[in-house]
Amino acid sequence: PQATVYGVGAALLYAVARGLEIGSPKSIVVAMVVAVPLLGAGLAAVQIVPTLELVELSGRGEGLGFGEVAKMSLPPERLVGFLLPNAFGNPAFGSYWGMEAGFFIQLCPYVGVLPLLLATIALRERRDGVTTFFACLCGAALLLALGSFTELSRVLYDVPGWSFFRIPTRFLAWVGFGCAVLAGLGMDHVLGSGRDRICGRRWTVLMLCALALVVAAANHEVLFATLADSAAWTTGQVAQIWRYRADLWLDLIR
């Protein structure tokens, strides 16, 4: 139900934005936002009605407390996961040391380095309504995913129905979808314009130099020794940091 609600919510927002952009009559916009969802709900009522009855008998019948709703909010430092998905380790390799904040799969916003670059190109070069909408969708999703780390979550908690869902980081689904669309728009722009306009020789040289410095630093044992000694981590956590050194090096290269 949570994924369905988020998906329908994004679709309705897009319908409104798209309808207003192309100048559709208000009656058409209202029909898209109200009539179409009601028709879908009617067709699915054979499942929706029993589900609503079941909810009333479940532990969520009266909603959840704020602490449970905001559980596994996205810590701001986890935003580094857009570039370094394994910055806090990876459970697949037994090196994940961020369990205190929540599960790896719920807290990793990684969408790929190349899609992120293409999405950035779209934001920089395009000025159309579709690009603006998906940029706003990604921004709103990140704000909602932060959960208890913002005051917005406490305001939204009082919205009817909001307290039935937990784990705010599930809004990262909007981020993934929005970045995918923006990456496609960015690729379309790259294919339709000269490569030199976006990546001149000067920027290419600078990026390669920066990359060389990052890789050199990541492969340096002193850096990891400093990390291991710079915080009050347990012996096990320090061991995990050293174990993850090779993986982080590959992350930085990518």
Side-chain angles (χ1 to χ4, degrees), residues 65-236:
F66 177 78
E68 190 66 22
V69 170
K71 189 176 183 179
M72 287 196 208
S73 297
L74 183 68
E77 63 270 17
R78 291 298 180 102
L79 294 175
V80 72
F82 274 108
L83 292 176
L84 303 174
N86 301 310
F88 293 84
N90 191 313
F93 310 120
S95 59
Y96 184 54
W97 53 277
M99 181 59 77
E100 184 177 349
F103 298 123
F104 173 86
I105 194 172
Q106 300 283 4
L107 299 176
C108 183
Y110 185 70
V111 296
V113 173
L114 184 57
L116 197 63
L117 175 61
L118 291 171
T120 303
I121 291 173
L123 294 176
R124 177 181 175 182
E125 302 293 338
R126 298 176 65 103
R127 296 294 183 270
D128 55 86
V130 175
T131 303
T132 301
F133 171 80
F134 283 103
C136 292
L137 184 70
C138 289
L142 280 176
L143 188 60
L144 292 170
L146 289 172
S148 60
F149 293 95
T150 70
E151 289 299 321
L152 178 62
S153 61
R154 297 187 179 277
V155 175
L156 293 176
Y157 177 72
D158 296 325
V159 175
W162 196 271
S163 62
F164 284 96
F165 298 135
R166 62 192 186 99
I167 307 183
T169 50
R170 289 174 179 167
F171 275 107
L172 291 176
W174 283 8
V175 176
F177 183 69
C179 285
V181 175
L182 291 173
L185 295 172
M187 175 61 77
D188 183 69
H189 180 82
V190 169
L191 296 177
S193 60
R195 181 181 61 179
D196 293 339
R197 179 183 175 187
I198 295 174
C199 294
R201 293 182 180 179
R202 180 184 304 175
W203 286 108
T204 302
V205 172
L206 288 175
M207 284 190 293
L208 289 175
C209 290
L211 178 62
L213 290 173
V214 169
V215 172
N219 200 31
H220 203 284
E221 293 188 3
V222 176
L223 171 64
F224 284 85
T226 302
L227 286 174
D229 295 336
S230 63
W233 288 335
T234 64
T235 303

